Amino acid sequence: MQKEEPVRGLILSGGGARGAYQVGVLSAISEMIPRGNPNPFPIICGTSAGAINAAALSANAGNFRTAVRGLERVWTNITAEQVYRTDTYALIKSVVRWFFSGIVATKTPERSALLDNMPLQRLLSLVINFRRIQENLNQGHLRALAITASAYASGESVSFFQGAEELPEWVRARRKGKRSVIGVEHLLGSAAIPILFPASKVDGAYYGDGALRQLAPLSPALHLGATRLLVIGVSGNVSAGRQRQLSGYPSMAQVLGHVLNSVFVDTLEGDVERLERINRTVSALGERARRKHGIHLREVDVLKIYPSRPIDEIAAEHLKELPRSLRFFLRGSGATKSPGASAMSYLLFEPGFTRALIEMGYKDAQERREEILSFLSDQPLMDAASEA
């Protein structure tokens, strides 16, 4: 078997405002490669907030540092008003529309959700030049961009990808890859947190947050040909041992935070662990045994970077930055108190919080500098191997 050149893939998970952490990690990486170099990740896959970061990187793949600096400018100055409407009238209208319109009209109206994300649509249209994605593909700065969303009608996890012509579509149980031209509607669908944000219509069907039913977050990159993966997660908790004990019945915000963490965090971390287990098994078999028994597994290096400090704790320090109108509406749910910070961390699009996450991401990546440089220089890593 001939040794093939490794193909690097970047996995950016979902997590609402937590996506700022990814920007900090990417900022540190951009300083580890020569200024002016193109994107070092031929395959970029994103989900939810990670989909937005992935699309922005792909649209500026000709110069990686410039692409990351653009993301930094957006995330360090972002406010909730740029993502969803926070005025009292808009919040009341959304709540009434969502709760009562379906009962009166016996049909759920378009864009029904607790929050109106039209500001996010305007922001994405302004800061991302989607036409440049294809230009970068043509110039060889990119092999594929994949954006994952969840189809409400079929219940499938769909990875829309724009990439090299030879890349085939794929179908697996409850998930598939579909060739498409990525646009703002794909990002809005991938980032549409259920109930909070409205579904987005793509190719005649409605899609919600890509983290829903995404059983194998690493799969799209592997299907697109990646043999080395850099995974940047946005885990809320470093270890279960650091969890605070509940003094009473869990609030609605605590329950919501638990649900969101299970959607955005647990699946990714579980898939990475599964990859590492397969890595060890295949490594123990050896190449000769694999060839003899026809085991079609390929070597895949994986480097994962997760927050060094629980994001919930950081969010608790910045809850007062939430718009006053939103704090008023959510006060009864327990979201404005420290135990409810986990849920609010997904909606805390405010400079104080996002800058703190960017700073942590930058620091975490710098502390892993040698590992990252080995990854970028295609040096062997500890774990390796899996199948799509």
Side-chain angles (χ1 to χ4, degrees):
M1 295 177 63
Q2 294 182 343
K3 184 71 174 179
E4 297 181 356
E5 288 296 319
V7 179
R8 290 185 292 271
L10 176 64
I11 309 292
L12 300 175
S13 66
R18 298 182 181 203
Y21 175 81
Q22 298 169 350
V23 178
V25 174
L26 293 169
S27 178
I29 293 175
S30 72
E31 296 178 2
M32 299 178 192
I33 64 176
R35 184 184 298 272
N37 270 27
N39 159 55
F41 304 101
I43 297 170
I44 304 178
C45 301
T47 301
S48 194
I52 296 173
N53 291 336
L57 291 177
S58 300
N60 296 281
N63 188 315
F64 186 66
R65 187 172 297 191
T66 298
V68 174
R69 292 294 176 266
L71 278 172
E72 282 186 279
R73 284 193 296 272
V74 173
W75 280 98
T76 56
N77 297 293
I78 199 167
T79 61
E81 287 85 356
Q82 293 175 299
V83 180
Y84 50 87
R85 291 186 61 183
T86 60
D87 56 284
T88 303
Y89 171 75
L91 291 173
I92 294 176
K93 179 181 177 181
S94 294
V95 171
V96 172
R97 179 187 178 93
W98 189 66
F99 277 109
F100 299 108
S101 295
I103 298 175
V104 175
T106 68
K107 181 181 178 181
T108 304
E110 293 278 338
R111 298 191 55 78
S112 291
L114 293 179
L115 298 173
D116 182 353
N117 66 347
M118 283 300 294
L120 177 61
Q121 181 175 337
R122 290 192 290 268
L123 177 64
L124 295 177
S125 300
L126 179 66
V127 301
I128 300 179
N129 186 343
F130 292 93
R131 289 179 297 179
R132 294 182 62 182
I133 295 175
Q134 187 59 48
E135 294 176 8
N136 287 313
L137 286 166
N138 296 339
Q139 295 170 9
H141 299 315
L142 187 69
R143 176 173 170 80
L145 164 66
I147 303 298
T148 299
S150 180
Y152 280 122
S154 65
E156 292 178 313
S157 176
V158 181
S159 295
F160 297 98
F161 70 92
Q162 185 172 351
E165 293 182 1
E166 67 272 15
L167 294 174
E169 296 184 343
W170 66 88
V171 177
R172 295 291 185 272
R174 291 291 179 182
R175 54 190 171 93
K176 66 181 181 180
K178 182 178 180 181
R179 182 175 289 275
S180 186
V181 177
I182 303 300
V184 67
E185 67 276 11
H186 295 84
L187 303 189
L188 290 174
S190 183
I193 300 176
I195 300 177
L196 296 179
F197 296 126
S200 178
K201 197 171 186 178
V202 182
D203 297 336
Y206 289 98
Y207 290 84
D209 202 290
L212 291 172
R213 312 192 77 164
Q214 190 180 29
L215 303 177
L218 307 184
S219 176
L222 300 179
H223 277 291
L224 294 170
T227 58
R228 295 170 71 85
L229 299 178
L230 174 61
V231 180
I232 306 179
V234 292
S235 174
N237 308 292
V238 176
S239 66
R242 296 183 62 171
Q243 291 297 294
R244 62 172 62 89
Q245 297 296 318
L246 290 176
S247 57
Y249 193 80
S251 67
M252 186 183 300
Q254 286 175 286
V255 173
L256 178 60
H258 183 74
V259 171
L260 292 176
N261 283 340
S262 68
V263 171
F264 289 101
V265 176
D266 298 350
T267 305
L268 174 68
E269 294 182 352
D271 202 26
V272 171
E273 288 185 2
R274 183 163 55 248
L275 171 65
E276 292 172 334
R277 286 198 303 270
I278 297 174
N279 287 344
R280 290 190 289 270
T281 301
V282 174
S283 178
L285 284 174
E287 184 177 317
R288 179 177 297 179
R290 276 180 277 162
R291 190 170 11 172
K292 178 180 178 181
H293 297 285
I295 300 176
H296 301 292
L297 296 175
R298 66 171 183 257
E299 303 259 339
V300 176
D301 289 336
V302 58
L303 175 62
K304 56 184 185 291
I305 300 179
Y306 299 149
S308 57
R309 180 187 174 194
I311 289 182
D312 301 359
E313 293 181 1
I314 301 175
E317 299 168 2
H318 296 272
L319 286 176
K320 291 184 178 180
E321 296 176 19
L322 281 168
R324 181 177 299 177
S325 57
L326 190 62
R327 294 204 309 271
F328 174 79
F329 275 97
L330 296 176
R331 183 174 54 185
S333 69
T336 57
K337 299 179 181 179
S338 181
S342 180
M344 287 301 94
S345 67
Y346 292 90
L347 295 176
L348 241 173
F349 293 94
E350 295 295 340
F353 179 60
T354 57
R355 290 175 185 178
L357 295 190
I358 291 173
E359 182 180 350
M360 179 170 62
Y362 181 88
K363 180 180 178 182
D364 290 349
Q366 288 291 356
E367 292 178 351
R368 307 279 297 277
R369 179 182 178 87
E370 294 304 318
E371 293 175 82
I372 294 172
L373 288 175
S374 294
F375 179 91
L376 295 175
S377 61
D378 300 329
Q379 298 279 334
L381 298 178
M382 289 296 295
D383 292 296
S386 183
E387 63 179 351

